[in-house]
Amino acid sequence: MRFFVPIALLVAWFAATSTGAIKSYQLASPQAVLVELNDLASHGLLWTDLGASVERVAIGFALAALLAIILGSLVGASRTAEKLLDPTLQAVRSVPSLAWVPLLLLWLGIGETAKIALVAIGAFFPVYVALASAIRNVDRKLVEVARVLGVGGVPFIARVLLPAALPQLLVGLRIGLTQAWLFLVAAELLGASSGLGFLLTDGQQIARTDEILVAILAFAICGKLSESGMRLLERRLVGWTDTVVPG
Amino acid sequence: MNAIAIQGLVKRYGAHTIFDGLDLDVAHGERLAVLGASGCGKSTLLRCIAGLESSDGGEIDVAGEIGYVFQEPRLFGWLDVERNVAFAARNSAERARVPEVLALVGLTAARAKLPKHLSGGMAQRTALARALVRKPEVLLFDEPLAALDALTRLELRASLREILIQAGATAVWVTHDVDDALTLATRTIVLQRAPNFVRAVEPAVGIDVGARRALLAALGISA
């Protein structure tokens, strides 16, 4: 059942391109995409671009997650930190993140740093917001158990707050990773000499829809793989929860 | 020397006075039931003793360590039964006591289960085991049977009696259930709402036919 629509679309695509109803500069045929995929892969270009993109996402996401976990824990656990930091961070969050692009380009140029910074901006907020609210909303009743037992300070954070907040943190990380890919495309469209986004613009400039479709396919696979990886991690780490965490 | 000595306890919530000079002594090894209607300040008294609430006056002295069993089990969902119990252990000696305590509450076979797979009675037994690990001098119970179904309540009440007698600890048991008091306590007080605050009265009851009636009468229920 679930494969019916995709197969129907594929057949329609094949029919429309092979009968000449749609020209190849408008939409390449499925077989042309396969040939291009093979071509790019065998010349190693696909792996170079894929590697460049994955590296940017990995570094940007890791930086964002680290910063978001530190700031989210602080703001969630301490009223003072919340008053001090949260209003500012919420104000920054209300700016559509792509609006930072011109500033980033001016400050950091069009090199790797600007791209990684943009990816990090995109990934930061879902993680930060999820963790801060999860820690703030940890069951007061569990907090009292720790208090009665005299468990406080760092042991309290490590043994009670963080494990209790872990399910929402993982959801935040999953959404953050999706955002990271989204912002990577934006960053690479703005000017890059490598990466899957570069394949997109390159394909556009030389009117090669097969190249564009290969890049889109690669993005789809990367997105799906990272999402599945995060869900696997969730199942492994927070199988103890009574209910499936929404999101 | 008493296990718990409360002198002139004052507790207010805003303009509302709960206790206005409450005195209460609990002797070593005594099992005191604190009876009272809902909302009369039973839990507040217990929370003051445990230091979960600050008092507005008076003195509370507790000789030694406190173990606290709440109305709900309050287990850590990410830890299995054994690790929930071991959460209370501070050193290797207390960690070594975990199997012994698990056996005492009858959970040895269930030690690897996660809280989401426990029945209400088993979850409450786990909470009790967690409170027992440190061998506390004083055990505080805040209606630990109230959330259980009738059959489980009877069963757990019976085994709790055995466990408390074995542990030999001083216990304060807050409840609105007269049968809890009759089964578990060596002494019972009743918290009554006086016009402006709550006072403690001690009906002269032994374990006899009239006891139940006397306690109900002190609660203001004619039986």
Side-chain angles (χ1 to χ4, degrees):
Chain A
M1 258 316 252
R2 58 194 294 208
F3 294 113
F4 181 77
V5 174
I7 288 172
L9 283 173
L10 200 62
V11 169
W13 177 14
F14 180 76
T17 47
S18 58
T19 57
I22 295 178
K23 301 279 177 274
S24 70
Y25 62 83
Q26 291 168 313
L27 181 66
S29 65
Q31 59 272 35
V33 172
L34 281 180
V35 169
E36 175 69 11
L37 179 64
N38 183 49
D39 210 33
L40 284 172
S42 59
H43 286 93
L45 283 171
L46 183 60
W47 310 123
T48 315
D49 287 326
L50 188 66
S53 288
V54 168
E55 191 181 318
R56 287 167 192 150
V57 165
I59 298 175
F61 177 69
L63 285 175
L66 185 70
L67 196 64
I69 288 173
I70 294 171
L71 288 176
S73 309
L74 273 176
V75 166
S78 145
R79 283 254 159 244
T80 317
E82 185 184 355
K83 278 186 194 150
L84 189 70
L85 297 172
D86 197 51
T88 313
L89 285 169
Q90 293 298 342
V92 174
R93 186 166 87 106
S94 66
V95 178
S97 307
L98 291 178
W100 298 108
V101 166
L103 265 187
L104 286 177
L105 291 180
L106 275 178
W107 289 345
L108 305 169
I110 52 167
E112 286 302 293
T113 322
K115 292 182 190 66
I116 290 169
L118 195 59
V119 168
I121 289 176
F124 173 81
F125 285 105
V127 184
Y128 165 77
V129 170
L131 183 60
S133 96
I135 288 185
R136 210 176 291 136
N137 295 320
V138 166
D139 192 351
R140 297 296 310 160
K141 293 179 169 176
L142 292 184
V143 175
E144 275 188 359
V145 171
R147 252 184 85 189
V148 165
L149 292 170
V151 175
V154 174
F156 172 66
I157 292 174
R159 295 172 72 193
V160 180
L161 283 190
L162 284 180
L166 189 61
Q168 284 100 309
L169 171 63
L170 286 174
V171 173
L173 285 171
R174 173 155 51 82
I175 299 172
L177 189 52
T178 309
Q179 287 281 95
W181 281 104
L182 179 70
F183 279 76
L184 173 82
V185 178
E188 290 184 342
L189 282 179
L190 288 168
S193 51
S194 66
L196 295 175
F198 166 73
L199 266 190
L200 286 175
T201 41
D202 189 52
Q204 184 206 347
Q205 273 156 14
I206 58 174
R208 289 282 302 270
T209 49
D210 49 354
E211 194 176 313
I212 295 177
L213 286 167
V214 167
I216 288 175
L217 197 66
F219 272 127
I221 292 170
C222 287
K224 185 68 198 162
L225 280 181
S226 45
E227 158 126 12
S228 304
M230 289 303 294
R231 283 197 189 271
L232 192 71
L233 201 63
E234 282 173 49
R235 268 201 298 280
R236 279 284 179 81
L237 292 179
V238 296
W240 54 269
T241 47
D242 256 338
T243 47
V244 178
V245 182
Chain B
M1 172 68 191
N2 288 309
I4 303 173
I6 300 175
Q7 269 196 321
L9 174 66
V10 179
K11 177 67 191 172
R12 295 187 196 91
Y13 285 117
H16 184 61
T17 301
I18 312 272
F19 302 120
D20 190 13
L22 183 88
D23 298 326
L24 180 66
D25 288 328
V26 186
H28 277 290
E30 196 166 45
R31 296 194 302 281
L32 176 76
V34 179
L35 267 175
S38 295
C40 75
K42 302 185 301 280
S43 297
T44 307
L45 175 63
L46 219 53
R47 294 172 64 81
C48 285
I49 296 174
L52 285 174
E53 302 263 354
S54 57
S55 60
D56 297 299
E59 292 246 346
I60 300 178
D61 281 316
V62 181
E65 187 119 39
I66 289 176
Y68 201 116
V69 181
F70 295 90
Q71 182 166 346
E72 328 78 18
R74 302 195 179 187
L75 301 179
F76 298 106
W78 56 92
L79 300 176
D80 62 18
V81 167
E82 191 168 18
R83 292 196 172 89
N84 259 290
V85 176
F87 184 91
R90 287 162 300 190
N91 49 47
S92 53
E94 285 174 355
R95 267 188 292 281
R97 266 174 54 77
V98 171
E100 180 191 323
V101 176
L102 282 175
L104 187 67
V105 299
L107 282 177
T108 305
R111 65 181 182 280
K113 285 193 178 190
L114 281 175
K116 69 171 175 179
H117 295 131
L118 296 177
S119 67
M122 288 165 97
Q124 203 54 286
R125 283 170 191 270
T126 309
L128 175 67
R130 181 172 63 191
L132 289 172
V133 154
R134 293 181 178 178
K135 277 197 171 177
E137 280 79 7
V138 172
L139 279 164
L140 304 177
F141 294 89
D142 189 359
E143 307 218 33
L145 305 179
L148 302 175
D149 65 87
L151 210 63
T152 312
R153 187 182 317 151
L154 285 178
E155 196 185 284
L156 190 54
R157 186 152 60 202
S159 56
L160 262 168
R161 188 183 143 81
E162 295 307 311
I163 291 166
L164 284 181
I165 291 172
Q166 250 189 63
T170 308
V172 178
W173 184 287
V174 154
T175 180
H176 61 262
D177 188 333
V178 170
D179 291 321
D180 277 0
L182 291 174
T183 319
L184 293 157
T186 53
R187 176 183 158 213
T188 300
I189 62 165
V190 178
L191 292 187
Q192 290 178 334
R193 227 182 313 226
N196 294 319
F197 55 90
V198 174
R199 62 179 179 179
V201 296
E202 191 161 355
V205 292
I207 302 301
D208 60 35
V209 194
R212 192 181 158 81
R213 186 169 303 215
L215 289 177
L216 285 171
L219 280 168
I221 302 165
S222 53

